Amino acid sequence: MQLPKLTPLQSRFAASLAASLLLLILYLAFSNPHFAYAENADSIIHDDHNHPLILDSFLEDEVQYQDEYDAAIDRARTYEPEFPSMGRSILGRAPAPSTVQLANNMPAVMSIAPDDTQCFIFPKTALDQPPSLVKQALPPYHDEIDTGNAIDDHDMGYTGSELRRRQGSDHILYLTLSVCGQPSSAISNPKGPPPPLELYISQAMNDECPGPNFAGQQGWLTADGGFTNYTNPTSGDSYFTVSAPQAQGFNGNYTYELTASIDAPFTYYEELPGLFFVDSDQNSSFFMTNNLTTSNSSTQQDAWMQSGAPFTMFMHDANDVMITGLLRSYCGLNTSAQIRTMADVEVGMTTIAGSLPKQQYHVKGLNKTTPYHAVMALPSNYTQTGVGMPGGGGVVWQDILMTTKTDPNCQLIYNLSFCDTVNYAVPANPTNNGYASMVELAAFYDNYTSQNFNYFAHSLEQIPCNTTAESQYSLATNCSNCYNAYKQWLCAVTIPRCMDFSSIEPYLQARNVNQSFIDGSPFPVGDPTFSEANKSVMYLNSSRVPRIDQIIQPGPYKELLPCIGLCYGLVQNCPAALGFACPLAGKGQNYSYGYVTNNNLTCNIPGAIWGVNGASGYGPITVSVWIGLSLAIVVSIAGA
């Protein structure tokens, strides 16, 4: 069928009518509020891969967009904009009068009474701020190349050494809650700290103040140990409530810091210990980190050695159970820990226990026979600290427990010139003028050991070391290995590791039982160690080195014997012409050397790190990966 021909006027009218209908359809489509809200609300709540169990309520139920929109419209109708010329579609929704608005990397420092709640909002407008460019405070843990590992600078959200904002329509929101103070106990011996604060999170439009009495969708976290954190994508307003539970038997308020960031967590807690306990005496203790880098680059190792010992630490009497409510909070420990300033801590960098950089701590001012919580910490992840700085609120590692010694005749020494791997307690006498201080005592042991080593070095010079391989004394080892093996053995046997005489561990050897206790204590009644027969036994009535009894006069103590492997290593690495031999089992070996039993600390190797608490569950560790992974997270803390 042939279509009728239109006049030029009719053609123009038909084209105009079609264009008008098309514009009307487009107008209705884009001005329909239901369509617009459904499209925007799709990015409000996302799967949380960091807290899949805690925030299940965010993930399982479908959001009722129409109901939320109707409720939002009702609220908007009752709200008068601050600027009459602008509608709410431009200004956005204002927080309720009692709601505190959070700004990026700006902690809200608050006080809250028990059985009270406080509400917060992190507005959508804060998501559009420019990225923070802050240099990392620590040298890298790995080599400065992209290794393809699961944890590296690129995966953790960095370009080079600067923090960068992740790309995409959503932003990552990092929320941290740190408890800085807690109610005090109304009784002298509480069974524990007050109940922890609770944090409620919502991104729903009708939930501006989530909390324990709200029936809608919300996440819920508890600040166990004084800290909790929340990480999740967001593209709109986010709402939070801090709730303080009832605290019967306690007086006062909680104080806390709540911080939102789109750069990195403002504070951080690492669920791995940051310290190894090495040894203690009555009033001090010695700790070390593990390797701070895995790099063999001398430049990178030098950067760590010259980093100025960046890690700090806190200590607190473990008998005070109140501190357990703050052990994961940097501001809490910085406020309440008994040891919280570096005035009581001597720190430095070292390469003992291997060849890679570590940080060491000598903590003074402790009480004898007292258990302590020890916590490694970092004031900031970046070169700047404090308010407004990403990661400026500090990092805390999991605490470890240690106990100081009871007897006064064991004293810590470290940083020796010759026996540089010695960092433990040795037989001492604080009443002996001339050898009472750590410096004087260390010099006594180090100088004597060095003099004896010189005699050996002269003997080794008689061996043709610098010769052809066919003419050397062994094809399996050389004079350098012999030199090192003898030095390690000599330091261990000449500088005994001192333990409390009251200790009943079966692997310890009693020494010097003929002398009196330096504090005037009587000999234990019924202890066979002090029998007349034993007083004539040389390995019981004297120290391993006679000069210790003659000059230091430490009184009775027990020795953690050197490991038999040190003697075997000496025999295996040195020329037979030097005549070295180890005592046989049952013929002197049992009171001269100790053994590694089930990877426990049952014998002494100078410089070895024996585990997190110095006692059980770990063998001697010189290279480990756990703290490295932790540091990779710290150095690259902005990642997901």
Side-chain angles (χ1 to χ4, degrees):
M1 176 179 177
Q2 187 175 6
L3 295 175
K5 293 184 179 180
L6 301 176
T7 65
L9 181 60
Q10 291 174 327
S11 298
R12 287 195 296 272
F13 175 78
S16 299
L17 179 61
S20 299
L21 290 174
L22 179 59
L23 287 174
L24 179 60
I25 293 172
L26 291 174
Y27 172 79
L28 291 175
F30 286 100
S31 64
N32 189 319
H34 299 312
F35 295 160
Y37 181 72
E39 183 179 18
N40 292 335
D42 181 59
S43 62
I44 290 178
I45 297 175
H46 296 266
D47 289 347
D48 181 0
H49 300 286
N50 298 300
H51 303 84
L53 299 178
I54 297 176
L55 300 178
D56 280 344
S57 60
F58 273 6
L59 312 178
E60 296 176 353
D61 300 326
E62 182 180 357
V63 178
Q64 301 299 317
Y65 297 119
Q66 183 63 53
D67 293 342
E68 291 186 5
Y69 170 75
D70 292 339
I73 290 298
D74 292 339
R75 289 195 301 272
R77 286 171 179 166
T78 63
Y79 178 78
E80 285 293 318
E82 296 176 10
F83 303 97
S85 61
M86 296 184 181
R88 294 315 308 165
S89 60
I90 298 177
L91 294 177
R93 292 179 296 110
S98 60
T99 299
V100 177
Q101 183 165 307
L102 299 177
N104 191 37
N105 298 310
M106 301 293 289
V109 182
M110 307 292 290
S111 176
I112 186 171
D115 200 23
D116 196 6
T117 58
Q118 292 172 342
C119 303
F120 302 84
I121 179 175
F122 190 66
K124 179 181 178 180
T125 54
L127 303 177
D128 299 324
Q129 296 182 13
S132 299
L133 299 176
V134 183
K135 294 290 185 180
Q136 297 173 17
L138 303 178
Y141 173 72
H142 299 293
D143 287 324
E144 294 184 301
I145 57 174
D146 186 356
T147 61
N149 292 334
I151 300 177
D152 62 22
D153 287 350
H154 299 282
D155 289 339
M156 299 305 292
Y158 281 89
T159 299
S161 62
E162 292 185 343
L163 187 67
R164 66 173 171 84
R165 190 70 47 75
R166 290 186 178 272
Q167 303 298 316
S169 59
D170 293 334
H171 297 265
I172 303 298
L173 173 64
Y174 303 93
L175 185 71
T176 56
L177 172 63
S178 298
V179 180
C180 305
Q182 57 188 355
S184 59
S185 175
I187 59 176
S188 58
N189 295 309
K191 295 182 179 180
L197 293 181
E198 298 170 347
L199 177 63
Y200 294 85
I201 308 107
S202 176
Q203 292 173 322
M205 295 177 63
N206 64 342
D207 191 5
E208 293 185 5
C209 193
N213 298 321
F214 183 75
Q217 288 185 323
Q218 59 184 10
W220 174 61
L221 302 163
T222 58
D224 294 323
F227 177 81
T228 190
N229 66 303
Y230 165 79
T231 302
N232 207 52
T234 184
S235 60
D237 295 337
S238 298
Y239 307 95
F240 319 107
T241 296
V242 174
S243 176
Q246 293 183 356
Q248 296 182 355
F250 296 90
N251 300 321
N253 293 349
Y254 297 86
T255 58
Y256 65 91
E257 293 179 352
L258 184 68
T259 313
S261 175
I262 52 176
D263 301 305
F266 186 73
T267 54
Y268 196 80
Y269 172 72
E270 174 54 55
E271 293 184 351
L272 288 171
L275 295 173
F276 285 122
F277 169 60
V278 179
D279 205 354
S280 76
D281 54 31
Q282 260 196 341
N283 305 117
S284 67
S285 57
F286 195 84
F287 302 89
M288 287 179 60
T289 69
N290 212 314
N291 297 328
L292 298 178
T293 180
T294 59
S295 174
N296 292 319
S297 165
S298 60
T299 301
Q300 197 158 315
Q301 292 182 19
D302 289 344
W304 273 106
M305 294 300 293
Q306 298 169 11
S307 63
F311 299 96
T312 185
M313 72 172 299
F314 302 102
M315 291 189 70
H316 196 92
D317 187 342
N319 293 312
D320 177 14
V321 296
M322 291 288 290
I323 196 63
T324 59
L326 301 172
L327 283 176
R328 299 183 176 189
S329 168
Y330 187 93
C331 69
L333 291 169
N334 201 36
T335 301
S336 301
Q338 293 165 337
I339 302 293
R340 58 179 183 270
T341 68
M342 299 310 286
D344 298 311
V345 185
E346 293 179 359
V347 297
M349 302 299 293
T350 182
T351 56
I352 68 171
S355 60
L356 296 174
K358 305 166 189 66
Q359 183 170 324
Q360 63 185 23
Y361 307 78
H362 181 212
V363 185
K364 298 174 288 185
L366 306 179
N367 297 321
K368 69 175 184 178
T369 324
T370 302
Y372 283 90
H373 294 283
V375 179
M376 188 175 88
L378 183 68
S380 174
N381 301 311
Y382 306 102
T383 54
Q384 294 172 289
T385 63
V387 174
M389 295 295 108
V395 184
V396 171
W397 276 260
Q398 185 183 83
D399 70 297
I400 63 171
L401 280 172
M402 52 75 57
T403 301
T404 51
K405 283 187 170 63
T406 300
D407 299 337
N409 60 341
C410 293
Q411 184 174 339
L412 280 172
I413 60 173
Y414 66 101
N415 282 351
L416 279 63
S417 298
F418 179 70
C419 291
D420 52 354
T421 58
V422 169
N423 51 14
Y424 49 78
V426 298
N429 186 345
T431 66
N432 188 340
N433 293 332
Y435 302 98
S437 72
M438 187 188 75
V439 173
E440 294 167 333
L441 190 64
F444 166 80
Y445 283 103
D446 203 40
N447 292 340
Y448 180 70
T449 307
S450 178
Q451 291 170 7
N452 280 275
F453 185 83
N454 289 335
Y455 303 141
F456 160 77
H458 293 322
S459 299
L460 189 62
E461 289 175 354
Q462 310 307 313
I463 303 298
C465 294
N466 298 320
T467 184
T468 62
E470 293 79 6
S471 301
Q472 289 185 357
Y473 67 88
S474 172
L475 296 178
T477 187
N478 53 47
C479 289
S480 294
N481 292 337
C482 175
Y483 183 99
N484 293 329
Y486 186 85
K487 178 182 178 181
Q488 189 178 34
W489 170 84
L490 183 66
C491 290
V493 299
T494 310
I495 309 179
R497 185 161 183 168
C498 182
M499 307 294 283
D500 283 330
F501 193 87
S502 57
S503 176
I504 60 173
E505 298 295 346
Y507 49 81
L508 299 180
Q509 178 61 57
R511 301 290 193 193
N512 202 22
V513 298
N514 279 356
Q515 290 188 358
S516 300
F517 289 105
I518 62 174
D519 60 359
S521 299
F523 293 141
V525 177
D527 189 337
T529 305
F530 296 95
S531 67
E532 290 300 322
N534 282 342
K535 288 185 177 182
S536 62
V537 177
M538 180 173 293
Y539 69 82
L540 290 173
N541 66 21
S542 62
S543 296
R544 185 187 291 270
V545 178
R547 281 172 58 92
I548 296 175
D549 301 335
Q550 297 165 5
I551 297 177
I552 302 300
Q553 300 176 357
Y557 64 94
K558 288 188 177 179
E559 179 188 356
L560 181 66
L561 299 173
C563 293
I564 185 62
L566 295 175
C567 186
Y568 292 154
L570 175 65
V571 174
Q572 292 168 357
N573 284 285
C574 290
L578 295 179
F580 293 129
C582 298
L584 299 176
K587 296 184 178 181
Q589 186 181 108
N590 57 319
Y591 53 80
S592 298
Y593 293 96
Y595 314 89
V596 176
T597 306
N598 296 327
N599 289 330
N600 290 336
L601 177 57
T602 54
C603 61
N604 182 37
I605 300 177
I609 303 175
W610 285 85
V612 175
N613 59 8
S616 62
Y618 298 89
I621 303 170
T622 55
V623 178
S624 182
V625 71
W626 64 259
I627 195 172
L629 295 178
S630 302
L631 286 174
I633 295 173
V634 169
V635 173
S636 303
I637 203 170

